[in-house]
């Protein structure tokens, strides 16, 4: 999971992008127009419209602006009142109309691409605000904006300055909490109650137990007095909101499904994906079966004669030395060196990511990364890993800590060459908009894609044990994909999803519960596999005329140069055609060739046959 505000639900996304400068090799379609303003009459007007949108977005969504590094918005929270949310909706519609006023005849090809990118961002925001219904039901809608992480963990300013911003944030919390409580109208799905209780209660606990220690060294009596008052009030407000959610348990429902029509609208509005749901489901099922077959083959080599569960248990029993946090720190060194040795992708800078234990209020998923915004300079990114819930039975706590092979691909996903590397590239885009807005399927699809790509490139010898680590991560995302579709369009229950995570993704009970619950409040978590399948098909099509596998680095560098648009839109840019959705599917095993064809040249074989191992 990311702590990035992608174009999705705020619980899964908190604005966090790393600082950077212009790239040395810009993508023409994605970059700003470099012709003189006089040569393109609409150029200056178009650029002004985009700048105006960004300025307005910071005002309407100030937490997003602060996370991006616009610290004049520090301490501010959005207006969560019903009237405030409606004003945001109206403003976004006005912006959409203004963007649409730039017809094709007024813009060059690069600007038309930019217009479509901006419009896609607006459409995604409007879906969550206007059509999802989440503002009145789903605590996840608010959780990201309530996170104080940037003030506590990001050294963008001296501690006293960040403490002052944090105090302002806390002083604004009681009003925001009152607005949220007025919006959230029961009865709630059971999983929403659990999420709200955990997140809001976790913040209260964090304020009480941890925050005072962080600011204890600040020698400013007046500020400390303000903090004491704001911390008590903020903690009480969050605890009251958590208790309010917990009090709804007796009326809990299972009414979380978006329904097929709204789910399809979500995919179109947020990711530009317009395939029929039956095709989407079939592609997910095929990829699940592909990975299950590969797992069986790897286990036959690694633990011959054992069941798949016993095989995976044997792999996961090989725990990282010193625990998951220490293990990940060691893995990042080797992962980066592997990228360099294999020359798989350009690393545009010397930045490194830290690894830390996740704070108590943000442990609803095992791992995520926070990356400073593009307006920040020279700040660290932090890869957070959550410990098991201490309330779980000891056996479940032990099982929650992944084995070394599993953790290796989590580290690849989050840092090298996943999210962290992707944002090193995004933040060197010539177009500020592309630095700021990175889509869910683009970011998570890339990070998930890199796991299989790294194994195919020979990571750690590509042994059966390493393959099992990669496949268990892939199967987790396969089941997320199918759970999202099933939970929201097919009548799947949370219990059925949880069982599928156990049976098909081989998850321990704690993870299975978390993952099934997440599917109810984060219906877009199918984007990991959805994005990966779109990227794999795009790689196959792009490299087909550029040298095949030898062109992977060129593909990766060009893909990463665009910032983070919807992948169908990016596909049109990279291939010189229309925006369209295409999902990769593994080629079916070829039937035995007739004798007459035995000497057919290699070029007669399907191009995809050698694309994946």
């Amino acid at each position: 999971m990311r702590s990035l505000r992608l174009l999705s639900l705020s619980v899964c996304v908190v604005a966090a992008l790393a600082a950077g400068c212009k790239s040395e090799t810009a993508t023409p379609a994605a970059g700003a127009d470099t012709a003189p303003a006089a040569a393109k009459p609409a150029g200056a007007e178009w650029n002004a419209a985009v700048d105006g949108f960004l300025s307005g977005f910071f005002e309407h969504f100030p937490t997003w602006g602060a996370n991006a590094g616009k610290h004049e918005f520090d301490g501010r929270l959005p207006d969560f009142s019903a009237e405030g949310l409606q004003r945001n909706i109206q403003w976004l519609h006005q912006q959409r109309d203004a963007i649409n006023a730039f017809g094709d005849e007024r813009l060059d090809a690069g600007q038309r691409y930019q217009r479509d990118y901006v419009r896609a961002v607006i459409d995604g925001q409007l879906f969550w605000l206007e059509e999802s219904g989440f503002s009145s039901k789903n605590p996840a809608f608010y959780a990201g904006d309530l996170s104080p992480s940037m003030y506590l963990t990001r050294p963008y300013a001296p501690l006293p300055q960040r403490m002052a911003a944090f105090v302002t944030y806390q002083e604004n919390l009681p009003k925001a909490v009152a607005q949220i409580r007025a919006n959230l109208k029961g009865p709630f799905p059971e999983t929403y109650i659990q999420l709200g209780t955990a997140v809001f209660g976790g913040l209260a606990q964090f304020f009480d137990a941890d925050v005072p220690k962080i600011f204890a060294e600040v020698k400013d009596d007046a500020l400390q007095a303000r903090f004491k008052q704001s911390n008590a009030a903020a903690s009480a407000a969050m605890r009251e909101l958590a208790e309010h959610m917990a009090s709804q348990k007796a009326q809990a429902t299972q009414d979380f499904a978006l329904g097929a029509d709204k789910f399809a609208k979500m995919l179109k509005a947020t990711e530009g994906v317009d395939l029929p749901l039956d095709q989407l489901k079939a592609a997910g099922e095929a990829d699940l079966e592909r990975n299950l077959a590969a797992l069986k083959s790897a286990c036959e080599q690694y633990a011959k004669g054992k069941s798949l569960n016993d095989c995976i248990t044997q792999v996961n029993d090989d725990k990282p030395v010193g625990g998951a946090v220490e293990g990940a720190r060691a893995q990042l060194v080797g992962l980066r060196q592997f990228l360099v040795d294999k020359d798989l992708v350009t690393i545009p800078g010397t930045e490194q990511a830290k690894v830390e234990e996740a704070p108590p209020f943000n442990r609803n998923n095992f791992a995520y990364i926070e990356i400073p915004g593009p307006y920040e300079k020279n700040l660290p990114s932090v890869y957070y890993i959550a410990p098991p819930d201490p309330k779980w039975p000891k056996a479940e706590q032990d099982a929650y800590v992944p084995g070394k092979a599993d953790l290796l691909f989590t580290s690849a996903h989050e840092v090298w060459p996943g999210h962290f590397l992707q944002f090193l590239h995004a933040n060197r885009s010539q177009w500020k908009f592309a630095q700021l807005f990175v889509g869910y399927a683009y970011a998570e699809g890339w990070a998930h894609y890199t796991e299989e790509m790294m194994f195919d490139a020979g990571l750690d010898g590509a042994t059966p044990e390493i393959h099992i680590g990669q496949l268990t991560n892939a199967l987790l995302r396969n089941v997320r994909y199918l759970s999202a579709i099933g939970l929201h369009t097919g009548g799947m229950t949370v219990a059925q999803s949880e069982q599928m995570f156990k049976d098909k993704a081989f998850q321990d009970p704690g993870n299975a519960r978390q993952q099934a619950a997440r599917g109810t409040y984060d219906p877009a978590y199918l984007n990991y596999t959805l994005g990966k399948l779109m990227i794999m098909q795009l790689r196959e099509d792009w490299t087909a005329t550029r040298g095949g596998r030898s062109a992977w680095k060129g593909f990766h560098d060009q893909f990463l140069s665009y910032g983070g648009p919807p992948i169908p839109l990016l596909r049109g840019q990279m291939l010189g055609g229309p925006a369209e959705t295409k999902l990769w599917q593994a080629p079916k095993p070829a039937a035995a060739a007739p004798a007459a064809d035995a000497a057919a040249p290699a070029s007669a074989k399907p191009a995809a046959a050698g694309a994946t191992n």
Side-chain angles (χ1 to χ4, degrees):
M1 169 167 170
R2 310 274 334 277
S3 179
L4 297 167
R5 170 161 284 197
L6 314 169
L7 309 185
S8 180
L9 224 50
S10 58
V11 72
C12 306
V13 296
V14 178
L17 314 170
C21 54
K22 290 185 179 181
S23 62
E24 296 178 0
T25 56
T27 303
D33 183 10
T34 58
K40 303 236 184 266
E45 192 177 347
W46 167 247
N47 292 336
V50 176
D51 290 343
F53 173 80
L54 292 178
S55 296
F57 201 90
F58 295 142
E59 288 291 339
H60 284 267
F61 304 94
T63 311
W64 190 92
N67 267 294
K70 301 284 283 186
H71 291 296
E72 59 267 38
F73 296 99
D74 279 6
R76 287 176 55 178
L77 288 169
D79 182 353
F80 290 128
S81 68
E83 298 78 14
L85 294 178
Q86 190 57 42
R87 280 192 293 271
N88 290 344
I89 291 170
Q90 291 171 349
W91 177 79
L92 285 165
H93 276 292
Q94 291 167 359
Q95 291 296 305
R96 195 181 196 283
D97 291 342
I99 294 301
N100 281 339
F102 289 88
D104 286 357
E105 72 284 354
R106 300 183 60 193
L107 304 173
D108 65 21
Q111 292 162 345
R112 289 196 292 273
Y113 160 75
Q114 291 179 346
R115 177 200 59 197
D116 294 346
Y117 192 166
V118 176
R119 186 166 53 202
V121 167
I122 294 172
D123 287 347
Q125 295 292 330
L126 281 172
F127 176 81
W128 297 118
L129 280 165
E130 194 172 31
E131 298 193 61
S132 70
F134 282 176
S135 65
S136 63
K137 292 289 183 186
N138 193 343
F141 184 85
Y142 302 100
D145 282 315
L146 297 181
S147 172
S149 287
M150 65 174 163
Y151 307 121
L152 306 174
T153 62
R154 189 187 304 174
Y156 66 86
L159 188 61
Q161 181 179 331
R162 290 188 284 123
M163 181 180 180
F166 178 82
V167 169
T168 302
Y169 150 82
Q170 283 197 321
E171 290 170 342
N172 288 326
L173 262 179
K175 179 181 178 180
V177 167
Q179 292 171 339
I180 292 169
R181 179 165 177 175
N183 291 345
L184 291 174
K185 297 177 175 63
F188 301 101
E190 183 178 6
T191 53
Y192 288 21
I193 295 170
Q194 293 167 352
L195 177 70
T197 302
V199 171
F200 303 143
L203 276 168
Q205 177 186 349
F206 187 62
F207 292 158
D208 290 340
D210 297 295
V211 176
K213 300 173 187 175
I214 295 173
F215 295 130
E217 66 185 71
V218 175
K219 306 302 181 186
D220 183 328
D221 292 343
L223 185 57
Q224 287 289 358
R226 274 184 67 201
F227 167 70
K228 185 176 180 180
Q229 185 174 0
S230 70
N231 198 49
S235 178
M238 297 310 306
R239 187 171 292 105
E240 182 180 342
L241 186 55
E243 290 170 353
H244 170 68
M245 293 300 298
S247 72
Q248 305 297 308
K249 288 181 181 178
Q251 293 80 40
T253 73
Q254 298 298 320
D255 185 20
F256 50 76
L258 289 176
D261 289 346
K262 193 172 287 188
F263 191 85
K265 284 183 180 178
M266 175 192 76
L267 292 173
K268 178 62 176 175
T270 62
E271 300 297 343
V273 169
D274 57 3
L275 291 181
L277 289 177
D278 59 345
Q279 290 186 30
L280 285 168
K281 183 180 179 183
E285 290 171 338
D287 201 56
L288 172 67
E289 291 307 314
R290 173 180 77 97
N291 287 320
L292 282 172
L295 179 66
K296 291 174 184 175
S297 177
C299 281
E300 271 294 300
Q301 300 173 66
Y302 178 74
K304 188 173 179 62
K306 290 190 175 182
S307 68
L308 292 182
N309 277 306
D310 288 344
C311 168
I312 291 169
T313 297
Q314 184 172 323
V315 171
N316 284 335
D317 283 345
D318 186 10
K319 303 291 185 183
V321 175
V325 170
E326 287 299 323
R329 287 172 180 159
Q331 288 174 343
L332 295 189
V333 177
L335 285 165
R336 188 184 188 283
Q337 190 60 47
F338 182 80
L339 292 176
V340 173
D341 292 344
K342 294 291 185 177
D343 198 25
L344 291 170
V345 63
T346 297
I347 300 177
T350 59
E351 297 95 326
Q352 300 284 343
K354 299 166 62 178
V355 188
E356 303 290 350
E357 184 175 290
F361 67 88
N362 202 0
R363 292 178 176 175
N364 290 297
N365 213 59
F366 173 70
Y368 65 98
I369 189 167
E370 285 196 358
I371 303 173
Y375 294 101
E376 306 280 22
K377 300 296 178 186
N378 303 317
L379 294 182
S381 297
V382 184
Y383 163 25
Y384 285 106
I385 295 176
D389 190 326
K391 297 189 293 292
W392 291 348
K394 179 66 164 55
E396 289 191 15
Q397 292 187 50
D398 292 343
Y400 186 80
V401 178
K404 288 189 294 188
D406 185 350
L407 182 65
L408 179 64
F409 290 95
T410 302
S411 297
H413 180 105
E414 300 297 342
V415 184
W416 299 118
H419 294 314
F420 180 67
L421 177 62
Q422 184 248 306
F423 276 91
L424 293 184
H425 279 266
N427 290 313
R428 286 161 169 81
S429 170
Q430 290 184 319
W431 191 35
K432 182 61 71 175
F433 188 94
Q435 296 179 23
L436 289 163
F437 292 96
V438 176
Y440 197 169
Y442 182 100
E444 295 297 357
W446 165 260
H448 185 34
Y449 157 83
T450 65
E451 299 164 24
E452 184 164 346
M453 183 274 291
M454 291 286 274
F455 173 78
D456 287 344
L459 181 63
D460 273 18
T463 63
E465 181 178 3
I466 293 299
H467 200 187
I468 293 163
Q470 180 260 313
L471 289 166
T472 53
N473 278 273
L475 288 165
L476 170 65
R477 278 50 174 266
N478 285 141
V479 177
R480 283 180 182 169
Y481 182 104
L482 294 172
S483 284
I485 295 172
L487 289 165
H488 290 279
T489 76
M492 178 184 285
T493 67
V494 175
Q496 288 170 333
S497 172
E498 184 177 333
Q499 193 61 46
M500 184 161 60
F501 277 107
K502 294 176 183 177
D503 294 344
K504 301 293 187 180
F506 307 95
Q507 294 295 299
D508 62 88
N511 260 313
R513 278 196 303 272
Q514 283 186 340
Q515 295 298 326
R518 179 178 168 186
T520 66
Y521 56 77
D522 178 16
Y525 80 159
L526 87 164
N527 278 326
Y528 293 76
T529 293
L530 179 62
K532 172 183 175 176
L533 295 179
M534 288 192 285
I535 293 169
M536 290 181 74
Q537 186 61 48
L538 177 56
R539 184 186 73 185
E540 183 172 303
D541 295 339
W542 191 89
T543 60
T545 59
R546 294 171 174 85
R549 185 160 178 160
S550 66
W552 278 14
K553 182 180 182 181
F555 170 76
H556 295 152
D557 285 354
Q558 183 160 347
F559 180 89
L560 292 172
S561 72
Y562 284 83
I567 295 174
L569 178 61
L570 183 152
R571 179 183 175 85
Q573 290 296 297
M574 289 186 68
L575 297 180
E580 61 178 334
T581 305
K582 283 198 172 183
L583 304 184
W584 182 85
Q585 289 196 38
K588 295 180 180 179
D597 292 337
S603 60
K605 297 177 182 177
T612 58
N613 290 344

